[in-house]
């Protein structure tokens, strides 16, 4: 099976798997007090600057929720896009774990801007109102778009002017960096991000996400938050080894670049198909498109992907580090075939 | 490094690692809707009976906390041993996530008995009092002892007579089954256990624990609890594949038997050393012993293990699936050496 | 001071105060096991039907939050109007205490309708999504409008068709019943409401709200929820006595009718003033109006009320059980004066 | 009915009721922005020093839980006596609302001492362990005993040496001050207390408790904690007016002294009755005694009080501000009568 359903339908990159296998030697102390973890942390400092603190957790929901937990009290509010993963796809974990209210805001192409947030900052200092504390954005966004460094900086500056924090859900931060041709640091620390959920799984890891704090003061109690958040791995070395490998030899970047290139290739091909309309700017590893419902039905018989919006007949196709050019060609052929089959059928049934 | 500090200082059993490597082929759907997970669930049903529901989570804290979450409302109380992992080692995750009160009770050799619990059931039906709802025991216990099936059944029967549930923290359930020469089902479903945290990591997995519900009704909302509990793996196949391998070819049992045998070997050897006193019944893969403080200090210079109780000078030594006879002999020699070195020193300083 | 700022700027109705004074005799058992509470509960049954369960709490936030707590698990979602008190004015207490996500929806004149909710019911049965469980409406709404019984029934029927509940925040339910000339039962039990927050404070009590459950099964653990929710009064008799008095001799209805009549009087008078435009249907005890900013500034110098929306220059005026016709006339004169003063000033400064 | 069951079986002191009645004039702004509240706060400053911050809540559970909420994160631990109200009588509200673990400790005569706490401070800085943060004591204790200022200071000094806080559950702080002949300030601010739950209800209020922060920094977000904690009264003036009256003309002290004197009188009388044994030091307004079970059964037919411990046949008798000498004499006569009736009966049935 080859899927365009999600970048987590891929397996593990061979270099990551090798790192896991190599880590399986001898005994080491559990819970992160091991040389693998020390080296992985060092790698993060190489990429993000030495004044960070970084902790590893199991999955993206935990990375987001525990990052937020380090920033808020229960009477605070978090602004996010209305399609944000924390709003839509985490089964209410942010509210459950932090006690906070999330404020989902309309977001053009998945992006938040200062003006929209500013309009919604109300009740500051008023005891009846939750107090705005965090702006949480996704990079890349849930719609496959990418914030420019200037856009992030504007949000960070605004957040800080309001004594708020900027959190970035970077489940696909590597794809964003690849798309912008920027270092990870240029896209985060250098533009004022306070905390980053750094995605590993969608970029080739078996399992593992990191939370990068750009102000160690914020992280000072994080070890307790992680443990109480049920996210402390006992055999930590196997998570750390994956991160060390990902951040070595530009593997993180190659994986992301490749996925982005495959999305670009796919978008280029499908654009030529009459009846398909690309619906969002293709900036990283996601392609959104409108297809006729009949064609979607035919396509989905043979290929795996998700219908994004039934009402508008919009689909989402994700590429990953292991999507091949061949996968793309087979899929494009599949789309063409779906069109002709749905067309014949409509003639037959007409 | 060879450690007697914990059974999670070991790495991954080669068969488990092979299963991970084999699972790394092709694309599969994320979040558990994949053939690996289907087969792993099937394996659990073979071992525990077909009328179970089972879900996988990342670690033992999550297995315990989410199992409890499925059983309680926030105004309920959970009885546990005063040394229970949920009481002592989970940084308050049970309280944070369930809102419940834990009632730690004195526990002879780590075991709870009905009489002790009965004495502490107070305020039933009284609005000022948390309402007793769960008895949570560990099998093996935190002191390396093992409940007999009759002891478990007595607790389960009592729990049910009070409209309560029995939860078993089975981080080392395999070691208990091996020690008792019983099947997993005989030790759980057959004696009235309601929910089991089934330990994988300490028995040779890289990462992964399972929650086994013996009454599917209790599990009916568990998928939401797991997701909101930040414990749903996206690339689930790599966790399921580990469980499938562990529960095949009696690997779970061989690993546990081996670890138990190494503990037995170690206990047998150290008993002969004058000045060492085994402090708890050695029933599975833990050896507790009293050593003179000076000997402990010498031993810890060269070998890794944990001081259990500074006041009584008691140490804990754990064996794992990969502890070798050689490891044991080296360690025993180390103990003897520690004695002689501490003795010389005390003569010198005397 | 006479205020049109809120119906909780009023004090206690004399009959209620008399009831408090009369209750101050002798000793009685605390926490609700007293004859005052028994009689108050009986009064609720007279008004709402015998198959209810009712519990008293201190304030409206608690009534709403604990009512919701009885209906949901933490992975559930609650639909409400975007201006709902639970969304806007309770400092995130619903999220903190229930762990749930609130879904604020646009609401014409403050009212929710089935179509809007239906469009937002997504992800049912999907583990990543919070599960819809409650529709929460306010009667009267935060905009002073009133749901008809048919409108409530439509919401209740829809909720039940989806295995959901209908909660009514009835901080001003008395004003709604008075406006519609219906009994409390006709407006709740008879049209399918599951749980009602029954408002006492804004209708003349010193302090006290009730939670009425129309299905006692839902309330079966409520006594623990209330106690754990920090809402169990020790000297309960003084709350129960207030409710008994409120529900006797139609005091609840007279108070509400009077407040409504005062709002109607006020609206009728201000409509005649050039430059004032009534902005919402005046159905109960709230009058919303647009005024020129300069006139608002002048008026607020001498009279107390709240600016509802600075952007649109809309104000809110509330009347209460003790608003007098004289209060209204003085206020209307004040408005006229504010206009002429703001006008002179603009001439002077022009 | 005259009860020795609890000091909250009494009603409202006439001066408090007068204050409520007087506050029922005119309109005032809700939620505490009113002159009554300003004056009540001023009264607290007169008694506790000007560098405090004080907030009013509805009941004792809320006072304790919200006080703790201001001091802790969810990964913290709170030490308390095993009989503490927060441990035994609040239905798990502290855990639910703060997420913390409570550590109940054995407490001689209801009092905690540094040595016991010191022994239980473990795992500081260890990520697996909840982190000790608060010592919470009750003054008077749940056993009617009173901490001396030196005892409190020792606890406060120790707490501060560990970067911990000292919280005092002062549901009966007035009785303690009366017993010790000390000012409220000498018993709190002057001996290092960080936060006090100041009890009003049991000392003659209709309803109302105060939280006094001796370090305003701790209170800086408290207004949000209170509102989110569902404890902000809308018609606040009626609570503030009660506190103003209680803290004027030494009413708080007279009420407490009277209650204490009645307990002393009762203890003196019952001591003389053969077969009754006072079981705890009578220091404030509680009398604990052992009675033969048969006598208890007879006594409880005609008088209301609580059996404290069925196993030891210990009863608790509380006096209140409105207990009269006559009440005591009637009760003492009742005890004697119970003895003689139970004796006759045992002769008859013998």
């Amino acid at each position: 099976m080859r899927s365009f359903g999600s970048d987590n339908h891929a397996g593990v990159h061979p270099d990551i798997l090798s790192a896991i296998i190599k880590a399986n030697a001898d005994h080491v102390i559990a819970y992160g007090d091991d040389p693998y973890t020390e080296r992985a942390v060092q790698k993060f400092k190489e990429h993000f600057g030495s004044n960070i603190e970084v902790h590893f957790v199991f999955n993206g929901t935990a990375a987001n929720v525990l990052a937020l937990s380090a920033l808020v009290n229960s009477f605070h509010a978090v602004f996010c896009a209305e399609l944000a993963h924390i709003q839509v796809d985490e089964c209410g974990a942010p509210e459950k774990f932090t006690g906070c209210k999330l404020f989902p805001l309309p977001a053009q192409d998945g992006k938040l801007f200062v003006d929209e947030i500013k309009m919604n900052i109300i009740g500051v200092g008023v005891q009846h109102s939750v107090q705005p504390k965090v702006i949480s954005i996704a990079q890349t966004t849930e719609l496959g778009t990418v914030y420019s460094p200037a856009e992030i900086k504007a949000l960070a500056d605004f957040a800080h002017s309001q004594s708020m924090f900027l959190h970035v859900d970077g489940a696909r931060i590597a794809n964003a960096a690849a798309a912008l041709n920027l270092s990870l640091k240029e896209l985060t620390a250098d533009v004022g991000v306070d905390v980053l959920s750094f995605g590993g799984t969608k970029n080739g890891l078996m399992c593992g996400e990191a939370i990068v704090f750009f102000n160690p003061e914020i992280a000072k109690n994080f070890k307790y938050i992680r443990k109480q958040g049920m996210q402390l791995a006992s055999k930590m070395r196997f998570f750390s080894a994956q991160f060390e490998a990902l951040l070595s030899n530009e593997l993180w970047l190659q994986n992301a670049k490749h996925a982005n290139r495959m999305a670009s290739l796919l978008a280029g091909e499908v654009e030529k198909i009459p009846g398909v309309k690309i619906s969002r700017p293709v900036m990283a590893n996601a392609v959104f498109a409108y297809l006729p419902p009949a064609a979607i039905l035919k396509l989905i018989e043979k290929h795996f992907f998700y219908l994004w919006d039934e009402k508008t007949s919009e689909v989402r196709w994700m590429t990953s580090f292991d999507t091949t050019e061949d996968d793309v060609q087979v899929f494009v052929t599949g789309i063409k075939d779906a069109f002709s089959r749905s067309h014949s059928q409509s003639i037959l049934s007409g």
Side-chain angles (χ1 to χ4, degrees), chain A:
Chain A
M1 173 197 174
R2 303 303 293 172
S3 164
F4 287 84
S6 175
D7 29 9
N8 59 27
H9 291 186
V12 186
H13 188 279
D15 292 1
I16 301 294
L17 197 53
S18 294
I20 290 174
I21 293 165
K22 273 180 61 185
N24 195 30
D26 229 333
H27 286 178
V28 304
I29 297 176
Y31 301 115
D33 191 7
D34 65 76
Y36 301 90
T37 304
E38 199 181 331
R39 290 199 303 268
V41 168
Q42 196 47 45
K43 281 286 170 196
F44 271 92
K45 294 193 171 179
E46 286 171 22
H47 284 279
F48 287 99
S50 58
N51 191 35
I52 63 155
E53 191 162 327
V54 60
H55 294 277
F56 307 143
V57 297
F58 295 115
N59 64 8
T61 295
N64 289 335
V65 171
L66 299 190
L68 294 176
S69 293
L71 301 175
V72 299
N73 284 315
S74 59
F75 51 78
H76 283 137
V78 176
F79 291 106
C80 62
E82 62 189 355
L83 289 173
H85 200 268
I86 58 172
Q87 167 70 5
V88 172
D89 290 313
E90 301 184 351
C91 202
E95 286 91 343
K96 163 80 176 170
F97 205 75
T98 69
C100 286
K101 185 182 283 297
L102 267 57
F103 271 111
L105 300 176
Q108 180 67 26
D109 283 331
K111 293 191 202 173
L112 284 183
F113 293 97
V114 169
D115 282 355
E116 182 69 33
I117 297 165
K118 200 182 277 181
M119 268 172 48
N120 284 280
I121 291 191
I122 46 174
V124 174
V126 175
Q127 63 187 340
H128 307 280
S129 302
V130 288
Q131 298 297 301
K133 197 66 188 176
V134 181
I135 300 169
S136 178
I137 62 172
Q139 172 79 312
T140 68
T141 73
E142 288 77 9
L143 293 177
T145 55
V146 177
Y147 285 89
S148 72
E151 287 169 342
I152 295 176
K153 188 167 188 311
L155 288 165
D157 288 349
F158 175 71
H160 300 154
S161 77
Q162 305 288 314
S163 301
M164 294 170 67
F165 296 110
L166 180 64
H167 165 252
V168 174
D169 175 355
R172 298 184 181 101
I173 184 80
N175 301 89
L180 294 166
N181 204 21
L182 291 170
S183 74
L184 291 167
K185 184 163 173 290
E186 286 168 316
L187 207 47
T188 54
D190 291 359
V191 287
V193 172
D194 294 294
V195 186
L196 169 71
S197 301
F198 177 87
T201 314
K202 284 174 173 152
N203 200 25
L205 259 53
M206 188 177 118
C207 177
E209 310 282 304
I211 305 177
V212 185
F213 295 91
F214 296 102
N215 175 351
E217 178 62 20
I218 298 171
K220 71 171 191 285
N221 288 317
F222 190 75
K223 65 180 177 179
Y224 308 115
I225 292 175
R226 178 174 61 175
K227 176 69 191 188
Q228 195 179 39
M230 309 180 288
Q231 291 289 324
L232 178 63
S234 60
K235 296 183 177 173
M236 181 70 88
R237 57 167 137 169
F238 296 105
F239 296 86
S240 303
Q242 294 181 70
F243 279 114
E244 188 191 358
L246 185 70
L247 292 180
S248 297
N249 307 318
E250 303 215 314
L251 179 60
W252 69 275
L253 184 58
Q254 288 171 34
N255 282 355
K257 272 187 176 160
H258 177 82
N260 289 2
R261 199 164 57 78
M262 289 302 102
S264 180
L265 179 65
L266 175 61
E269 291 294 320
V270 297
E271 262 180 336
K272 300 175 199 160
I273 305 174
V276 180
K277 187 173 152 29
I278 300 293
S279 55
R280 315 276 174 178
V282 177
M283 300 175 76
N285 68 324
V287 178
F288 287 79
Y290 300 121
L291 259 78
I296 293 174
L297 281 171
K298 286 294 162 193
L299 184 60
I300 224 157
E301 285 172 8
K302 304 197 175 172
H303 299 270
F304 195 90
F305 63 93
Y306 290 106
L307 187 58
W308 183 254
D309 187 337
E310 200 178 346
K311 285 183 219 107
T312 58
S313 198
E314 187 177 15
V315 298
R316 186 190 78 161
W317 298 322
M318 301 298 302
T319 56
S320 74
F321 75 89
D322 76 343
T323 304
T324 63
E325 294 194 16
D326 213 46
D327 291 338
V328 173
Q329 294 311 337
V330 168
F331 191 59
V332 169
T333 304
I335 299 171
K336 289 174 183 165
D337 179 53
F339 266 89
S340 71
R341 283 190 297 139
S342 68
H343 189 239
S344 330
Q345 195 174 53
S346 71
I347 288 171
L348 285 169
S349 65

